[in-house]
Amino acid sequence: MTGPAYPTERCKSCPAQVIWATTERGKPMPVDAAPTSDGTVLLEQVGSRLVARVLPAHRAFGRKDLRKSHFASCPDAAKWRRR
Ligand SMILES: [Zn+2]
């Protein structure tokens, strides 16, 4: 177990399961459902919001509970990032 389980849903562009969080500025941000050893995104529950915090590389190094932004890993991201 690598931390709390968050609700996931299917990405609208690809078959991946993602977790919808918001950035510290409140913008919606999809994050890969599964943590990965090269992830940099820390999910934190702040009140009713799930906040995705991108850690600098030196803080992310060696952790196994971080995820990747789905903006980076989605094969279709180039298409929907433009919106
Ligand atoms: Zn996707």
Side-chain angles (χ1 to χ4, degrees), residues 4-7 19-22 42-53 67:
Y6 299 107
I19 298 166
W20 280 96
T22 57
L42 176 68
L43 291 178
E44 273 183 328
Q45 191 75 46
V46 179
S48 61
R49 286 206 307 155
L50 185 60
V51 174
R53 221 180 280 280
R67 293 167 169 83

Side-chain angles (χ1 to χ4, degrees), residues 11-16 18 70 73-76 80:
C11 175
K12 289 178 176 58
S13 310
C14 79
V18 298
H70 194 62
S73 61
C74 184
D76 249 358
W80 47 284

Side-chain angles (χ1 to χ4, degrees), residues 8-74:
T8 62
E9 59 185 86
R10 189 177 169 279
C11 175
K12 289 178 176 58
S13 310
C14 79
Q17 289 291 315
V18 298
I19 298 166
W20 280 96
T22 57
T23 66
E24 289 169 271
R25 291 178 178 162
K27 286 184 138 186
M29 174 172 165
V31 178
D32 285 354
T36 166
S37 56
D38 59 349
T40 56
V41 179
L42 176 68
L43 291 178
E44 273 183 328
Q45 191 75 46
V46 179
S48 61
R49 286 206 307 155
L50 185 60
V51 174
R53 221 180 280 280
V54 179
L55 298 184
H58 70 275
R59 286 188 56 207
F61 183 79
R63 295 182 66 148
K64 292 183 167 52
D65 59 337
L66 304 177
R67 293 167 169 83
K68 279 187 174 173
S69 162
H70 194 62
F71 283 135
S73 61
C74 184

